[in-house]
């Protein structure tokens, strides 16, 4: 399958919003086909039972997904099961949950089931993963390790990922769990790799454009990229647990809307996008200034007098034309409405606290 047909990757840093705006999960369902989507949830990394599948089934269905099924091999032997592999063959969207990323890699990578995930991506399906399901998408992944801002020799271990993002290593819960040091340690030991750290409720959306992978940031946090191509390090001689020399690493911190070319390792300039309310506010301000200039030219009134007149003419939000506050409700009306409470709960769990 040619690269230009490859589907998007959605690399989620964990703890994605499942209750309110659900921006990231909504984009996943939409890009998977909406009402025509056939989504396969892979909860291999999770220690939870059927409830983790039920959670995502409920969320995706509420967001308009046509069909949601689960595929859960529990061993490498089961990952060779043709029936499980067949579940991925007509998937339009694949979602890997959080949990223990080493468990996920140990069961899936290098099996027919793992190969089917890669094949689905190449034929155009959306492949998404949160937390552990994000880490496995790169060629190399963090197996486990401690947090901390300072890179130290052997503070983390690396395992093989699915290779959907080549020559890279992905870490998640990045800012929230202070994982700068361990990502720096990995790129210090392997400076050919691009380090990608994704914050919680944040997604690195990777699309293939003209055969090249471009990363776009979606969500509340940021994506941090460490480019060690020209770095200087002492990783080859540093003693165990000692701080590493990591000099000359190119740092990119990308908020929502930023686009990064993973091949050229450079920021892609974007045209500024104005909020619709901002545009309307600017238009109203320009109209007021033109009106004021015309009135000043036509009379002897001072600008301050004209501003007061314009303020009196401008409607006040929440007031009807007659001056009645349209937000007022009688005590009888208020008592007729019961207060509702959101009883849903986020179920992010694992040995590291990731969603399973």
């Amino acid at each position: 399958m040619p690269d230009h047909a490859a589907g998007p990757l959605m690399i989620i840093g964990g703890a994605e919003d499942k209750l309110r705006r659900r921006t990231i999960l909504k984009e996943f369902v939409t890009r998977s086909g909406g009402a025509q989507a056939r989504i396969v949830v892979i909860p291999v990394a999770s220690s939870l039972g059927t409830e983790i599948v039920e959670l995502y089934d409920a969320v995706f269905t509420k967001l308009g997904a046509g069909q949601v099924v689960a595929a859960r091999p529990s061993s490498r032997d089961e990952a060779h099961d043709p029936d499980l592999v067949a579940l991925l063959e007509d998937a339009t969207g694949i979602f890997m949950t959080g949990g223990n990323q080493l468990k996920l890699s140990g069961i899936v990578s290098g099996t027919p089931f793992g190969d089917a995930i890669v094949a689905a991506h190449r034929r155009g399906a959306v492949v998404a993963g949160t937390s552990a399901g994000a880490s496995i998408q790169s060629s190399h992944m963090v197996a486990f390790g401690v947090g901390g801002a300072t890179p130290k020799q052997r503070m983390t271990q690396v395992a093989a990922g699915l290779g959907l993002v080549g020559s890279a290593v992905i870490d998640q819960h990045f800012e929230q769990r202070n994982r700068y040091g361990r990502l720096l340690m990995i790129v210090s030991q392997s400076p050919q790799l691009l380090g990608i750290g994704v914050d919680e409720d944040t997604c690195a959306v990777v699309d293939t454009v003209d055969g090249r992978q471009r990363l776009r940031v979606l969500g509340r946090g940021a994506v941090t990229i460490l480019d060690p191509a020209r770095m200087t390090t002492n990783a080859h001689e540093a003693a165990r647990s000692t701080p590493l020399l990591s000099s000359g690493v190119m740092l990119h911190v990308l908020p929502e809307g930023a686009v990064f070319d993973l091949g050229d390792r450079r920021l892609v300039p974007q045209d500024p996008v104005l909020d619709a309310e901002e545009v309307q506010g600017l238009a109203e301000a320009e109209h007021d200034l033109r009106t004021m200039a015309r009135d000043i030219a036509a009379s002897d009134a001072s600008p301050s007098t004209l501003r007061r007149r314009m303020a009196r003419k401008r409607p006040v939000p929440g007031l009807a034309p007659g001056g009645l506050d349209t937000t007022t409700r009688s005590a009888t009306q208020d008592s007729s409405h019961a207060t509702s409470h959101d009883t849903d709960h986020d179920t992010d769990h694992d040995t590291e606290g990731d969603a399973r």
Side-chain angles (χ1 to χ4, degrees):
M1 185 72 69
D3 285 343
H4 63 77
L9 304 173
M10 296 188 66
I11 301 162
I12 307 166
E16 70 281 359
D17 180 10
K18 304 177 187 68
L19 302 175
R20 298 174 182 84
R21 297 181 64 185
R22 294 172 289 201
T23 303
I24 296 169
L25 298 182
K26 188 180 297 182
E27 174 144 339
F28 169 68
V29 171
T30 299
R31 299 195 70 170
S32 296
Q36 283 71 51
R38 185 179 184 278
I39 293 172
V40 179
V41 176
I42 300 175
V44 172
S46 179
S47 64
L48 298 176
T50 58
E51 58 266 35
I52 188 66
V53 176
E54 291 168 356
L55 168 66
Y56 282 108
D57 184 1
V59 173
F60 294 152
T61 300
K62 189 168 184 177
L63 291 173
Q67 184 183 11
V68 182
V69 299
R72 192 173 200 169
S74 59
S75 66
R76 290 187 68 82
D77 187 52
E78 287 188 9
H80 285 72
D81 184 342
D83 292 335
L84 279 176
V85 173
L87 291 174
L88 301 174
E89 290 177 355
D90 59 351
T92 61
I94 294 172
F95 190 91
M96 293 176 282
T97 71
N100 186 321
Q101 52 252 44
L102 189 56
K103 176 187 176 185
L104 177 60
S105 174
I107 291 175
V108 168
S109 295
T111 68
F113 190 85
D115 293 343
I117 296 173
V118 176
H121 162 65
R122 288 177 177 168
R123 65 171 165 75
V126 184
V127 176
T130 182
S131 193
S135 289
I136 198 173
Q137 296 186 48
S138 51
S139 58
H140 299 68
M141 56 168 273
V142 178
F144 53 84
V146 298
T150 302
K152 296 180 181 179
Q153 190 76 299
R154 301 186 186 180
M155 72 187 297
T156 190
Q157 300 293 322
V158 177
L162 290 173
L164 300 175
V165 180
S167 299
V169 57
I170 293 171
D171 207 351
Q172 16 71 17
H173 301 280
F174 194 65
E175 187 272 334
Q176 288 75 15
R177 299 186 186 178
N178 193 13
R179 290 177 166 173
Y180 297 90
R182 74 184 200 177
L183 193 59
L184 266 172
M185 189 222 78
I186 293 171
V187 299
S188 295
Q189 292 183 348
S190 303
Q192 75 275 24
L193 299 179
L194 194 67
I196 303 173
V198 187
D199 291 350
E200 291 181 356
D201 196 21
T202 306
C203 180
V205 183
V206 179
D207 286 292
T208 303
V209 181
D210 297 327
R212 305 180 67 82
Q213 288 187 318
R214 282 190 172 182
L215 180 156
R216 173 177 58 86
V217 181
L218 175 70
R220 290 193 303 115
V223 173
T224 300
I225 293 182
L226 304 178
D227 181 0
R230 296 174 177 268
M231 78 176 300
T232 300
T233 180
N234 67 343
H236 62 285
E237 59 184 6
R240 183 187 182 97
S241 302
T242 60
L244 292 178
L245 170 66
S246 299
S247 178
V249 179
M250 180 72 75
L251 171 68
H252 306 268
V253 179
L254 310 175
E256 184 172 44
V259 177
F260 190 85
D261 189 307
L262 294 173
D264 289 343
R265 298 190 174 189
R266 63 177 180 83
L267 184 69
V268 178
Q270 300 294 300
D271 294 330
V273 179
L274 289 176
D275 183 86
E277 292 184 3
E278 277 187 64
V279 173
Q280 182 180 355
L282 289 171
E284 290 177 355
E286 182 180 4
H287 177 268
D288 288 350
L289 287 172
R290 290 180 182 277
T291 302
M292 182 182 293
R294 186 175 60 250
D295 291 346
I296 290 173
S299 67
D300 292 331
S302 68
S304 58
T305 301
L306 289 172
R307 278 196 298 269
R308 286 195 295 272
R309 290 178 187 171
M310 292 174 69
R312 286 197 294 269
K313 292 179 182 178
R314 191 173 296 158
V316 177
L319 291 182
L324 176 64
D325 187 344
T326 58
T327 62
T328 303
R329 297 289 186 274
S330 67
T332 303
Q333 289 173 313
D334 288 341
S335 64
S336 67
H337 297 282
T339 302
S340 63
H341 298 279
D342 189 348
T343 57
D344 293 334
H345 299 282
D346 193 313
T347 57
D348 285 13
H349 297 285
D350 84 336
T351 53
E352 291 186 321
D354 298 340
R356 305 204 213 177

